[in-house]
């Protein structure tokens, strides 16, 4: 049940294979994984934020910023690749830190914090580029997103790290915080710190996804557009409860693969790419509604204490 | 609105042989209760005596299993709270139910706003509200003021105006002074007198002896769901009343108390500590000893637990080994708290038994993962399965998981706030055994409970809290009467 999403994924892949059997060959499947890699990584990062009971809407803009900044700073110069990579990672961590601190310490709802961050970053990119990004990425930068082996290895590494983190002390306390913040705090969990770290992880994931997308999709001011919603849809599709406390990161990443498979299938049958947003919208609402149907049961459980409360 | 003929002869309300069970547990049997116009009828009893259930039946929240209710002589059946409201019954709950961002008039007419040409007629609402405020002699605020800016006492007046605006003839006040400051209580007294003059019948639920004797003409005592007595207040003494409320056999076996040789060194000492809710707290907790704390609702029981645990810390005074300013400091100093509200504050319900049991250990980075199974056996969790989600466990088993959670870090001092609330009888005995076992192994236990039999059965000594102060200490095995006298008595009594 926890991993039901992989059954859906298998069915979708089978449906794709009917029209295009190439996907069942190793090369075809790996190409699919490469295409899905940025979304899988974003979903892994988004998982930590969602399971703690928050949202991160800023990751799409952050991806765009990463790519645009990389192109301008590298500007075709191979020697600049590694310092810029380090800078991009630092930028992702910093944006996450700001999101986390504003949400956890200033108690601004994360929906607002990260929506604000999304607008700030979008505006900043526009201001800096004047609408048309300049510069070019280096070959050694583009290899991460373009080369199948690199992309698959990075995805596997991020996935493994995410799984280890959810099983570690940090992950367990974060999930408990998302489930019942008060109980966690009264058990000595540093609730604010755990949440801030979740946003930092999401920022880091966005930086990595941005680096890969730059190589894969090239430089444009639209490269990250809508990715925050795709990432949230993927996580929800993986059965992770909005509101926190429930769901696995493996299923969240499975949700990303499933969403990518859905897009592929739509493409294959010649349905307009514009429908992608519609599909995501239906998935988010349907998944949350399905989750909400079970909620009332919690409230009607008879509480033995009630009869005696005075 | 018509004024009601003040006649002391007619019983406005007459409840006869009311019975009610929940899940097979009998909560009320054959309870009779009458109320006269212009009279205050106090309803008293310990926690669990059935007062709230009886009032909820009157309010139409619960349907009685047996018995009849008559209002002004004619039998009524309430299927819904609205039925009761239409019949003239209003309840002022302890937790006020007003909207803070709306005006007094808007609150009074919430859900039944007068209309004029399809729009809400604010002027009419405010006029009627002002008239009722005037009749109650309330001039400290007006119909247009925002409810959120009013004091709790003023908000109670708004609740009462709301009741009067629907022609309530029977008003139930559930612990109305629990959240009032001293000077506000006087205002409430005035209000009650004016309601009496209007011919309203008032059912007044309270633990506080002074209020009962100041305000009521009749008093009914409930105990374990049975009406023990109804008396004219003038003909009964405080002592008699307390004896009627308590004085029952201990209903189950408690583990033997600590012998003098088992009580060891002082592990926690509090000198002159206080905060907004507590004053002059002096307390010493010794290894091996269970110190019980008794107190009425609103006396600061839970506040004391949270202060010692650093969750709502003391702001002044001395505490050794340290006065914690945060939960983490308290845990580091070896203090743990088993909270009163297990579901809201004790457990992450959708996580597994194992994750919950390890929560504290993980939060403070003290490893105990290898010992989880051993701990679950130790607290007698049945079955000791670390992978189940705790929300599927019974109340008793959930409480055992909370205990396991603290045992992972071996605290020196463990505070229990209502250790067996919502726990079935079998698990209760098991938890009592465990608490005693922990004490015997050298832990200092502070046990807060509103269940007097439990407090008496478990404690090696009993402290009594009243209005945020520790007002006395009683030896092991003291009677319920002795505790209630200390807890309920006012300075004057």
């Amino acid at each position: 049940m926890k991993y039901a999403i992989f059954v859906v994924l298998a069915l979708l892949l089978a449906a794709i294979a009917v029209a295009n059997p190439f996907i069942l060959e190793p090369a075809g499947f790996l190409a699919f994984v490469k295409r899905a890699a940025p979304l899988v990584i974003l979903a892994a990062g988004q998982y930590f934020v969602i399971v703690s009971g928050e949202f991160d809407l800023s990751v799409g803009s952050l991806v765009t910023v990463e790519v645009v900044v990389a192109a301008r700073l590298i500007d075709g110069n191979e020697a600049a690749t590694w310092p810029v990579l380090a800078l991009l990672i630092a930028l992702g961590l910093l944006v996450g830190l700001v999101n986390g601190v504003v949400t956890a310490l200033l108690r601004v709802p994360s929906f607002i914090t990260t929506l604000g961050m999304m607008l700030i970053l979008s505006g900043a990119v526009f201001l800096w580029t004047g609408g048309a990004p300049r510069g070019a990425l280096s070959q050694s930068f583009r290899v991460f997103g373009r080369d199948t082996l690199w992309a698959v290895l990075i995805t596997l590494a991020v996935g493994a790290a995410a799984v280890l983190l959810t099983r570690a002390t940090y992950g367990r306390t974060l999930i408990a915080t998302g489930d019942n913040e008060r109980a966690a705090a009264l058990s000595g969990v540093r609730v604010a710190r755990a949440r801030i770290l979740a946003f930092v992880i999401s920022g880091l994931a966005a930086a990595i996804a941005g680096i890969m997308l730059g190589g894969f999709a090239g430089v444009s001011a639209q490269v990250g557009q809508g990715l925050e919603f795709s990432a949230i849809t993927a996580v929800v599709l993986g059965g992770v409860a909005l509101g926190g406390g429930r769901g696995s990161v493996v299923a969240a990443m499975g949700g990303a693969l499933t969403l990518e498979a859905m897009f592929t299938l739509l493409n294959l049958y010649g349905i307009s790419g514009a429908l992608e947003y519609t599909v995501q919208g239906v998935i988010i609402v349907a998944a949350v509604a399905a989750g909400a149907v079970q909620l009332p049961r919690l409230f009607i459980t008879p509480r033995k204490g009630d009869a005696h409360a005075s | 609105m018509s004024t009601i003929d003040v006649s002391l002869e007619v019983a406005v309300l007459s409840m006869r042989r009311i019975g009610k069970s929940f899940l097979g547990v009998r909560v009320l049997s054959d309870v009779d209760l009458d109320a006269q116009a212009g009279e205050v009828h106090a309803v008293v009893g310990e926690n669990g005596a059935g007062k709230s259930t009886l009032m909820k039946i009157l309010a139409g929240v619960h349907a009685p299993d047996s018995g009849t209710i008559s209002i002004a002589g004619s039998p009524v059946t309430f299927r819904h709270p609205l039925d009761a409201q239409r019949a003239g019954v209003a309840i002022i709950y302890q937790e006020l139910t007003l909207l803070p961002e709306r005006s007094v008039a808007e609150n009074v007419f919430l859900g039944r706003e007068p209309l004029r040409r399809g729009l809400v007629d604010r002027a009419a609402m405010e006029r009627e509200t002002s008239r009722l405020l005037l009749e109650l002699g309330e001039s400290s605020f007006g119909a247009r003021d925002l409810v959120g800016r009013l004091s709790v006492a003023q908000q109670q007046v708004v609740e009462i105006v709301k009741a009067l605006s629907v022609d309530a003839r029977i008003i139930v006040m559930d612990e109305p002074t629990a959240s009032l400051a001293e000077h506000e209580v006087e205002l409430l007294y005035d209000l009650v007198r004016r309601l009496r003059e209007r011919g309203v019948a008032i059912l007044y639920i309270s633990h506080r002896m002074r209020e009962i004797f100041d305000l009521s003409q009749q008093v009914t005592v409930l105990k374990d769901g049975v009406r023990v007595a109804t008396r004219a207040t003038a003909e009964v003494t405080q002592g008699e009343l307390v004896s009627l409320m308590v004085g029952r056999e201990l209903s189950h076996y408690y583990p033997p108390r600590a012998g003098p040789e088992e009580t060891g060194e002082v592990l926690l000492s509090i000198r002159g500590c206080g905060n907004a809710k507590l004053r002059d707290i002096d307390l010493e907790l010794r290894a091996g000893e269970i110190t019980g704390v008794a107190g009425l609702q609103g006396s600061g029981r839970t506040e004391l637990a949270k202060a010692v645990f650093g969750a709502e810390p003391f702001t002044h005074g001395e505490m050794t080994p340290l006065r914690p300013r945060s939960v983490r400091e308290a845990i580091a100093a070896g203090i743990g708290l088993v909270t009163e509200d297990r579901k809201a504050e004790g457990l992450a319900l959708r996580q597994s038994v194992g994750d919950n049991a390890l929560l504290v250990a993980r939060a403070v980075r003290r490893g105990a993962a290898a010992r989880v199974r051993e701990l679950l056996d130790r607290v007698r969790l049945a079955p000791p399965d670390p992978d189940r989600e705790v929300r599927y466990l019974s109340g008793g088993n959930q409480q055992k998981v909370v205990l396991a959670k603290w045992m992972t870090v071996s605290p020196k001092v463990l505070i229990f706030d209502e250790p067996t609330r919502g726990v079935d009888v079998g698990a209760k005995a098991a938890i009592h055994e465990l608490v005693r076992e922990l004490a015997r192994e050298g832990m200092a236990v502070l046990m807060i409970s509103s269940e007097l039999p439990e407090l008496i059965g478990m404690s090696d000594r009993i402290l009594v809290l009243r209005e945020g102060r520790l007002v006395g200490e009683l030896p092991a095995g003291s009677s319920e009467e002795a505790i209630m006298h200390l807890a309920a008595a006012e300075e004057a009594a």
Side-chain angles (χ1 to χ4, degrees), chain A residues 172 179 187-188 244-245 310, chain B residues 47 328 345 347 350-351 355 405:
Chain A
R172 305 324 297 168
D179 186 354
S187 297
S310 69
Chain B
N47 290 334
R328 289 181 65 86
E345 302 195 316
L347 294 166
R350 293 187 302 194
Q351 309 308 312
D355 278 335
K405 177 176 92 167

Side-chain angles (χ1 to χ4, degrees), chain B residues 115 358 440:
Chain B
L115 295 181
L358 285 172
R440 200 158 287 141

Side-chain angles (χ1 to χ4, degrees), chain B residues 51-294:
Chain B
K51 301 172 303 224
S52 288
T53 306
L54 187 63
M55 292 309 125
K56 282 180 179 164
I57 286 171
L58 178 57
V61 176
H62 297 314
D65 297 339
S66 57
T68 56
I69 304 175
S70 309
I71 287 187
S74 33
V76 289
T77 310
F78 300 148
R79 291 192 182 81
H80 190 274
L82 271 179
D83 294 343
Q85 198 186 51
R86 287 196 194 102
V89 178
I91 299 208
I92 317 292
Y93 288 104
Q94 270 170 50
E95 311 290 333
L96 300 176
T97 54
L98 301 170
L99 307 180
E101 295 296 328
R102 305 277 92 199
S103 74
V104 170
E106 283 170 321
N107 270 286
V108 167
F109 284 94
L110 187 70
R112 45 187 190 85
E113 291 82 357
L115 295 181
R116 188 155 162 261
R117 294 197 208 111
L119 297 176
V120 173
D121 187 351
R122 285 179 164 273
M125 259 164 55
E126 284 168 9
R127 213 180 313 122
E128 176 67 8
T129 306
S130 301
R131 192 178 64 76
L132 288 167
L133 285 172
L134 193 69
E135 282 181 29
L136 287 174
E138 180 58 69
S139 54
S140 65
F141 64 94
R144 291 182 175 196
D145 289 340
L146 281 191
V147 162
R149 302 232 176 107
L150 304 181
S151 69
V152 177
Q154 290 171 320
Q155 293 190 23
Q156 276 181 344
V157 175
V158 177
E159 289 272 15
I160 285 164
V161 167
K162 197 171 165 180
L164 293 179
S165 75
V166 293
D167 278 315
R169 285 174 293 168
I170 300 157
I171 294 183
V172 180
M173 304 178 93
D174 189 1
E175 298 270 358
T177 56
S179 46
L180 294 186
E182 197 72 34
H183 66 277
E184 293 176 327
V185 173
E186 278 305 315
L187 297 175
L188 182 84
Y189 276 26
D190 275 346
L191 191 63
V192 168
R193 286 189 197 106
R194 283 176 200 270
L195 287 173
R196 284 186 58 200
E197 286 163 15
R198 290 177 69 100
V200 174
I202 294 166
L203 290 173
Y204 193 93
I205 299 176
S206 182
H207 286 303
R208 302 188 186 191
M209 290 297 152
R210 195 178 79 194
E211 289 164 26
I212 292 162
F213 283 93
D214 284 352
L215 287 174
S216 73
Q217 287 74 54
Q218 296 278 322
V219 54
T220 288
V221 181
L222 294 181
K223 187 172 85 179
D224 299 335
V226 178
R227 186 187 64 146
V228 183
T230 296
R231 301 275 177 80
T233 312
E235 289 163 19
V236 65
T237 65
Q238 185 169 315
E240 284 174 282
L241 211 50
V242 170
S243 308
L244 287 169
M245 284 162 66
V246 296
R248 143 186 47 169
E249 300 300 308
L250 289 188
S251 55
H252 87 251
Y253 163 83
Y254 288 92
R257 295 197 184 85
E261 73 289 348
E262 285 180 280
T263 310
E265 55 175 327
V266 174
L267 293 182
L268 186 79
S269 139
I270 299 172
R271 284 269 161 275
C273 280
N275 60 20
K277 304 270 181 58
L278 300 164
R279 279 180 293 171
D280 310 327
I281 302 292
D282 288 330
L283 183 59
E284 276 188 347
L285 300 179
R286 290 173 181 280
E289 190 180 46
I290 297 178
T291 305
V293 176

Side-chain angles (χ1 to χ4, degrees), chain A:
Chain A
M1 186 56 214
K2 202 168 157 191
Y3 298 115
I5 190 64
F6 289 100
V7 176
V8 179
L9 178 62
L11 290 174
L12 284 171
L13 290 176
I16 294 169
V18 171
N20 181 9
F22 177 62
I23 195 154
L24 296 184
E25 291 173 26
F29 183 72
L30 289 179
F32 167 74
V33 173
K34 178 176 79 174
R35 201 162 55 239
L39 188 55
V40 171
I41 291 166
L42 282 176
Q46 187 75 242
Y47 165 83
F48 287 93
V49 176
I50 288 183
V51 89
S52 81
E54 308 288 346
F55 291 97
D56 189 352
L57 297 178
S58 68
V59 293
S61 301
L62 182 53
V63 163
T64 306
V65 167
E66 297 278 349
V67 172
V68 170
V69 167
R72 179 127 173 202
L73 292 185
I74 293 175
D75 202 12
N77 176 6
E78 292 293 331
T81 303
W82 288 97
V84 170
L85 279 175
L87 183 78
L88 295 181
I89 297 290
L91 179 63
L93 295 174
L94 179 71
V95 169
L97 184 67
V98 172
N99 280 336
V101 166
V102 172
T103 301
L105 296 185
L106 302 185
R107 300 200 172 265
V108 176
S110 59
F111 185 81
I112 299 300
T113 309
T114 60
L115 185 67
M117 181 61 81
M118 168 176 144
L119 296 173
I120 290 167
L121 293 176
S122 304
V125 163
F126 193 80
L127 190 70
W128 205 49
T129 62
R134 278 173 286 165
L137 298 172
S138 59
Q139 280 309 311
S140 43
F141 185 98
R142 303 185 66 172
V143 72
F144 298 115
R146 187 183 269 179
D147 183 78
T148 308
L149 187 63
W150 265 112
V152 171
L153 283 181
I154 291 173
T155 310
L156 285 177
V158 167
V163 169
L164 286 179
L165 202 50
T166 55
R167 296 198 179 155
T169 295
Y170 170 69
R172 305 324 297 168
T173 49
L174 181 75
I175 297 170
T177 300
D179 186 354
N180 188 342
E181 178 176 353
R182 183 112 188 98
L186 287 174
S187 297
V189 175
R190 290 186 178 109
V191 170
R193 208 167 83 161
R195 285 223 169 97
I196 290 170
L197 201 47
F199 280 99
V200 170
I201 291 168
S202 181
L204 175 64
I208 297 172
I211 291 165
M212 296 178 77
L213 266 174
F216 180 75
V219 180
S220 87
Q222 283 79 44
V223 62
Q225 205 168 48
L227 276 181
E228 62 284 329
F229 290 112
S230 302
I232 293 172
T233 309
V235 171
V236 169
L237 196 56
V240 179
L242 293 180
R246 189 155 48 168
S248 89
V249 72
V250 174
M253 292 186 288
L257 287 170
T258 307
L259 196 59
E260 192 62 40
M262 247 179 242
F263 293 158
T264 306
L265 195 64
L266 289 177
N267 242 329
L268 217 50
Y269 285 90
I271 299 163
S272 161
L275 213 59
E276 287 184 4
Y277 280 113
T278 311
V279 169
Q280 291 181 44
V282 170
I283 291 171
I284 287 194
V285 174
V288 174
V293 170
Q294 296 188 350
L295 269 184
R297 268 185 235 157
L298 276 180
F299 296 109
I300 58 171
T301 320
R303 281 172 35 197
K304 282 175 189 151
D306 272 6
H308 296 282
S310 69

Side-chain angles (χ1 to χ4, degrees), chain B residues 323-439:
Chain B
R323 197 179 83 214
R325 285 162 304 172
S326 72
V327 168
R328 289 181 65 86
E329 278 189 7
I331 295 174
I335 303 171
L337 168 66
V338 175
T339 54
E340 174 181 20
D341 189 340
R342 195 163 45 238
K343 286 179 179 162
E345 302 195 316
L347 294 166
L349 288 172
R350 293 187 302 194
Q351 309 308 312
S352 69
V353 166
D355 278 335
N356 273 285
L358 285 172
L359 194 52
V360 176
R362 281 172 174 153
V364 299
R365 309 258 165 187
R366 262 188 264 163
R371 290 173 43 212
V372 166
R373 268 170 200 282
E374 186 190 314
L375 275 175
L376 296 181
D377 279 335
R378 170 91 205 278
V379 299
R380 285 155 222 152
L381 186 74
D385 174 4
D387 296 323
R388 282 184 82 189
E389 282 182 37
V390 286
R391 64 182 161 145
Y392 297 123
L393 266 46
S394 68
N397 273 329
Q398 286 182 348
Q399 194 70 330
K400 291 175 187 174
V401 174
V402 176
L403 257 178
K405 177 176 92 167
W406 286 110
M407 285 160 69
T408 56
V409 292
S410 316
K412 287 196 262 293
V413 177
L414 196 50
I415 308 164
F416 290 87
D417 193 1
E418 305 290 353
T420 60
R421 173 164 293 182
V423 163
D424 58 273
V425 179
K428 233 177 187 170
I431 288 168
H432 288 150
E433 283 282 352
L434 272 167
V435 174
R436 180 49 79 186
E437 219 172 278
L438 290 173

